[in-house]
Amino acid sequence: MRNLSDISGGNRKWRRESMTGFCRVGAQALKVALLVGVAAWPLELLAQTASVAVQPGTSAQTVASVSGTAEDAEPADIVVTGFRRSLQLANEQKRSADVVSDGISAEDIGKFPDQNLAESLQRITGVQITRSRGEGSSVSIRGLAPDFARTQYNGRTLGSGGSRSFDFTALSAEFVSAVEVAKSPTADMIEGGLAGTINVKTAHPLDIGKTSFNGTVEGVYEDNSKKLSPRVAGLANYVNASKTFGVNVGVAYEQRKYLAVSYEGYGAETGVEAQRNPPIDYNRDGDFGDTYTFNHAQAYQAFPGTRKRLSVVAAAQYKPTDDINVFADYFHSDFRDKGLWYENATRFTNIAPALPGRPYGVTASTIDTSLVPQLVSGSQGFITSMTATGLDHRASTFSQDSRKILNSYAAGFDITDGDMKVSGQASYFKSTTDSLNNGFATISRGVGTIAHPDGLGSPPQVTYGAGYDPLDPSTFFLLSQDFFGGRNSDRNYEGRLDAEYTIGDGFLKSLKAGLYYGDRQNTSVDVRSSANAATLARLSGGKLALVPNVEGASGAVNAGAILKPVSFDTKIPYYPGSYLVTDLNAYYGIIPYSTVIGAVPPQVVSGSGYDVGEQTMAAYVQAGFGSADGRLGGNLGVRYVTTQTVSNGLVPDLDGIIIEPGGVFTTVPTGVPTKVKGDYDYFLPSFNLKYELANDLIVRGALARVIGRPGLGSLSAGTSVNANVRSINSGNPALQPYLSDQADLSLEYYLPKQGLLSAAVFYKHLTNYIINGQVTQTLTAQLRGGGTQTLVFRRNQPLNLASADIKGAEIAAQIPLAYIGDAFDGFGMFGSFTYIDAPEVPQFEGGPNAPLNGVSKYNYNVGGYFEKYGLGLRGSYTYRSEYSSGDGNFFGDGSFVPAYGQLDASLSYQLTPAVSLSADVTNLLDALQKTENNFGLARIQSQIGRRITAGVHLRF
């Protein structure tokens, strides 16, 4: 691998380039302007046909509709509620913003449009989401991976461990008043949001303005599991009579009993026949000199589990005068995901005799040589079907338990003295994620065939023959019980001080300056232990008898007494009607959980963890300007940021690794402690301009230089090893941040009755793009129980090696159909479309070009609603085209998510002014989520099912 100091020095060239990249954006902006001009013409034409011309000085809320007269215009005091109100608030927020932005607003406290914030955000132009167990979990902006989107909570940093992205499953939507997505930065914004900044807002007590209580009681029904779970929330707000002091406290609890059913292929492994253990003649030509690629394993899985989330918010606010505002708030989230992982797997990477002298080997195979150009260099073809004797067949159960606890505290003030306003805020958050899982290496050897009747893009069909019964528990042996998990701790201290001076009525409106300090520490450790068959036989008191020489010298215990059949109803092709898994109740009836974990307590895995510290200081100046008539406005500023990192880790002796025969876990010897420092500093200029071309027609432009910091785990000084998939992964503390010189241009037409038409184009020139440096390394591993095995590993280390230009366009519309006529009053449509043009870059050094991670070329959402007479109906369909997930997987053959669309719907009824009823359906069409590799081999197909939430909302 290359020297880290060389990488660090090479990435210092920005000092010499100075502002060259930023100026380049100005030239690109001319192209952008031309594009938006083309887009603007049909928008303006559509606007003119949709509404009457708005005269100067006339409010958009009082203009007459096309079908009526001035007497039919909306009165100024008309009350808009429900989803229409949330659209209206979002439009007002977008219109008044100083930057290119979008947002979602709640109609009232506890009435955010969706239960999951990420699900709401996907309706914003240019925003895409990924899901975990059917819930929106991470957010991408303009196609860039979630790590490029900075998430804030009331303006301060919010993290959820390890990655720069935020896991939205930890955050309840019950208390959120608005979510803003800023796509162009200003100098006063905390840096790091290369794709954009997401700011989650909750209402302070005096913002609510009255003593009140809002509560929700709902049931959550999972279609796959057929289980009903509770979802309750309440927020109490107190404001004194003089409205100078207020406090509020909110508590929300949600439970989901889900069932996810899936197929997983582990990726295209390339193996040399002679290097298999024992050697395998894949093409049956009588020698062991060939090299072929095949699916490492195919597994049919089910994940029954329960998610519980407790959220608590609290805030206090004191405002004795309009010029003094002092506040404090607290956010707590306790998210637990606990369940089982049933797996029926066949592993063609492991074909061997169960006992010495038993037959094994490939008896038939079909090889596709047309895929050779897409395979790893040296491979002679992909094995599309194979029949084998001595096939590794697993009947496994894994017990999974993870818990994420997040606490965030903040206190601040705003003081205005004449034309001077000073604001300050100090905050702290800590997120801790603990997990401890255990599983069983339960194996049988038989005769099996894998084939792809529907092509490589579909899950394979696995059949058995020659008298082998996959449902006969007596043929299975337990090799070991393995414990694995770890802890990730992410904490951050943050403080900022801002001062703004309002100048007056001239062109220069204001001057603003500020300081920022952040101190973040992220630590991660993996823990693991394993009880082999001899240990399990001893702990069972003879109830599980050790059978010597099964699957190697360590032996195994017969698993017949601890297996049970399971079956699941699913749409996934070739999913087995039933299969065997480990029966945990039966097993722990023989060996209690406390007994086995007490015998082999999990230990920290040497070299796998990391400890990364990051200290950031920043200062900025920013000028606000505008014309006397208020039609022109904007800001110009520069932010200077300096960052220092310290990475601590362990570098192990890789010649001492130990692997389990037939197992999937690797033991790495204790490593040598190491500490590596890094640093970088940048000037980040920004320019935002807004101009009102005509009443309710606004054009915006923005130029900026933005950074996106590497993932905290990527800065690790440690090394981890996985012998099962032949990979060695090292961090790189000398990584520099991604750098983007970017331009934005947008046009917005605000129509009456909460209508909106908008178009935007954007351009990003990315440098310092991080990809994996990759080399091969041969190691001799020790086999637990005796013997050695020579293995060829793929060694990975992240490096700043690439650059990329990303261009795109967005259009959005909100159209109340009252424009057509009074008969359509209450009906409306909304939608957006995003096109992203991104280059291909290699996923590893020297590898073939692949699409930029996370970028879908086409993204759109479309929906409609009806709200009148207290009744609300809404449906929305979101779609994103294929994208690379950024996971090159274990064997470097890519990981791509095919196009996916999902339909959601909701129904509500205002029973009384204080009581409303609601029902929501997520994934109405029961769409499957899929992943495949770079030549179309199915890697994942997952069925999460529909989720129905219904209940009552109370407001007093």
PDB file of all heavy atoms in Angstrom, residues 226 588 674 945:
ATOM      1  N   LYS A 226     -48.573  -9.941  10.327  1.00  0.00           N
ATOM      2  CA  LYS A 226     -49.949 -10.000  10.850  1.00  0.00           C
ATOM      3  C   LYS A 226     -50.016  -9.589  12.320  1.00  0.00           C
ATOM      4  O   LYS A 226     -50.820 -10.094  13.092  1.00  0.00           O
ATOM      5  CB  LYS A 226     -50.556 -11.406  10.675  1.00  0.00           C
ATOM      6  CG  LYS A 226     -50.360 -12.037   9.321  1.00  0.00           C
ATOM      7  CD  LYS A 226     -51.003 -11.235   8.209  1.00  0.00           C
ATOM      8  CE  LYS A 226     -50.825 -11.929   6.856  1.00  0.00           C
ATOM      9  NZ  LYS A 226     -51.293 -11.077   5.725  1.00  0.00           N
ATOM     10  N   TYR A 588     -31.423 -23.628  24.051  1.00  0.00           N
ATOM     11  CA  TYR A 588     -31.156 -23.054  25.373  1.00  0.00           C
ATOM     12  C   TYR A 588     -31.791 -23.880  26.494  1.00  0.00           C
ATOM     13  O   TYR A 588     -31.463 -23.690  27.669  1.00  0.00           O
ATOM     14  CB  TYR A 588     -31.615 -21.603  25.427  1.00  0.00           C
ATOM     15  CG  TYR A 588     -30.734 -20.686  24.606  1.00  0.00           C
ATOM     16  CD1 TYR A 588     -31.273 -19.840  23.654  1.00  0.00           C
ATOM     17  CD2 TYR A 588     -29.362 -20.698  24.778  1.00  0.00           C
ATOM     18  CE1 TYR A 588     -30.467 -19.015  22.889  1.00  0.00           C
ATOM     19  CE2 TYR A 588     -28.544 -19.882  24.026  1.00  0.00           C
ATOM     20  CZ  TYR A 588     -29.100 -19.042  23.083  1.00  0.00           C
ATOM     21  OH  TYR A 588     -28.282 -18.223  22.322  1.00  0.00           O
ATOM     22  N   THR A 674      -1.199   2.228  17.294  1.00  0.00           N
ATOM     23  CA  THR A 674      -0.633   3.262  16.438  1.00  0.00           C
ATOM     24  C   THR A 674      -1.502   4.505  16.505  1.00  0.00           C
ATOM     25  O   THR A 674      -2.716   4.420  16.738  1.00  0.00           O
ATOM     26  CB  THR A 674      -0.514   2.773  14.978  1.00  0.00           C
ATOM     27  OG1 THR A 674       0.124   3.772  14.184  1.00  0.00           O
ATOM     28  CG2 THR A 674      -1.875   2.483  14.382  1.00  0.00           C
ATOM     29  N   GLY A 945     -43.458  -5.849   2.941  1.00  0.00           N
ATOM     30  CA  GLY A 945     -44.895  -5.855   3.127  1.00  0.00           C
ATOM     31  C   GLY A 945     -45.471  -4.477   3.367  1.00  0.00           C
ATOM     32  O   GLY A 945     -44.763  -3.477   3.461  1.00  0.00           O
TER      33      GLY A 945
END
